[in-house]
Amino acid sequence: MSSQVQTCATLHNALLHNLSPPITSPRRDLPFLLQTQNPGLYTELQGTQLLEFLSLIDNYDSPDTKFTPHVRKPDPAAFLNYRDFDVADEYPGHILLYPDAESGNAGGVIYDTATDLCTWAVFPPWPRAEEWVPLEMVLGKWLELWEKGKFYVDDEEGLAVRSWVQSDVDEALEAWEGLMDAIAQRLPASTRADGDGGATQVTEPILGREQLERGGFHPFAVAFLERARRPPGEVKFVAPGIGIWSSISFAEAVENEPTSSSRRTYLTRARFEPEQIPSLLFPAIEPSKTDRHTRVVDPTEGEADDFDRDWGFGKFTLGRRAGVYLYPHPEVGGGDGVVVVEDSGRDDWGQRTERCAWGPGYPTRLVEMLGMWREMVESGSWGVGAEGVVGWWR
């Protein structure tokens, strides 16, 4: 027995402890059920790590077959459901191990018996090579989401996912501190105030909770901005062309936004819940000799033409301002997702291109984007001047 298979089986069985109602009579009969229902497939899987894994995991009877909020438990009757999409001949040797929890969606976590790797897939298209990961990583991620409180048992819905939890805020704040330190260490000597290779530590938060709540900001945005400290010294830019709110600029743009604005009108008409509303975390601003002007979106031809369409991001922008928006996807636990909206209308800068291996996709997380910014500063790809990161992101 391989240690990898044993580890995966241990993780799978540990996940069962989170189910409600609790599993009372687990049994290990999946190989028997597979042999009974599909003897040909059972024969094909002889000697594979997958069949060994199936022999070590607990099966159970339950009216709710959800294993996590997004997948159902392994079911031999569903192992070959991916073949409904005419991919069996091109991609043989695969098993739909954890089907999508939504019965109408054909997909879920698919397992490659040749490589012993797996990934989340909703067909078509077929997942790319770089999107496949070890099963241990997927099971470990699910267990981590339970431990963080992202997965939980709802009294009415059963297994469910929280949009965001406190650890999401803490991770983003840690990434922000790393970015602030990276910028401070690279400020010109003439702007350093501590005489020791950096700028004086600032403890003042970007904005206060009361002002953020008056502005109707998303709860995650409030939790982050009320604790994230302002940049050191005279720093105004935390990424190329990306600034931070001041109390004055926030009041002018957010608190004084007309109730008749297209954004507010749309959100009211669509009946958006607070956990669904995008919020402008970091406005895009443009350096000027006399003032700093907000970057306003003016869609260009081509890829940005979708900006003002019904499905475009334009309806969510605050006064058509460019910048970094919190773009929550609460249904997949993506309450900390972000998107960068350029003044051209494009909104794909810094977004991940690969699919999530352990569940439905979601936007780039704030902690991930801040981490990318820090790497750009530390590598020298982005320069740092007296006012912070220089240039424009394009």
Side-chain angles (χ1 to χ4, degrees), residues 150-180:
K150 294 278 280 194
F151 287 173
Y152 72 105
V153 179
D154 183 84
D155 292 339
E156 296 182 359
E157 298 180 14
L159 297 187
V161 59
R162 290 187 173 92
S163 176
W164 62 278
V165 293
Q166 185 58 45
S167 62
D168 295 327
V169 179
D170 295 339
E171 290 170 1
L173 288 168
E174 182 177 353
W176 175 258
E177 286 296 312
L179 175 62
M180 294 301 98

Side-chain angles (χ1 to χ4, degrees), residues 9-81:
T10 300
L11 290 170
H12 173 99
N13 293 334
L15 284 161
L16 294 179
H17 298 305
N18 298 296
L19 301 182
S20 180
I23 303 305
T24 55
S25 301
R27 60 185 187 279
R28 297 185 178 177
D29 60 355
L30 284 174
F32 171 76
L33 293 175
L34 175 60
Q35 184 179 24
T36 303
Q37 297 175 15
N38 193 331
L41 179 59
Y42 177 79
T43 300
E44 288 180 26
L45 294 179
Q46 290 299 310
T48 64
Q49 289 192 12
L50 177 62
L51 190 60
E52 186 180 357
F53 171 72
L54 294 176
S55 71
L56 295 174
I57 63 175
D58 293 332
N59 190 23
Y60 56 93
D61 291 320
S62 173
D64 185 357
T65 59
K66 276 188 178 181
F67 187 69
T68 78
H70 300 136
V71 301
R72 289 179 279 132
K73 67 176 184 175
D75 178 8
F79 280 173
L80 300 180
N81 281 3

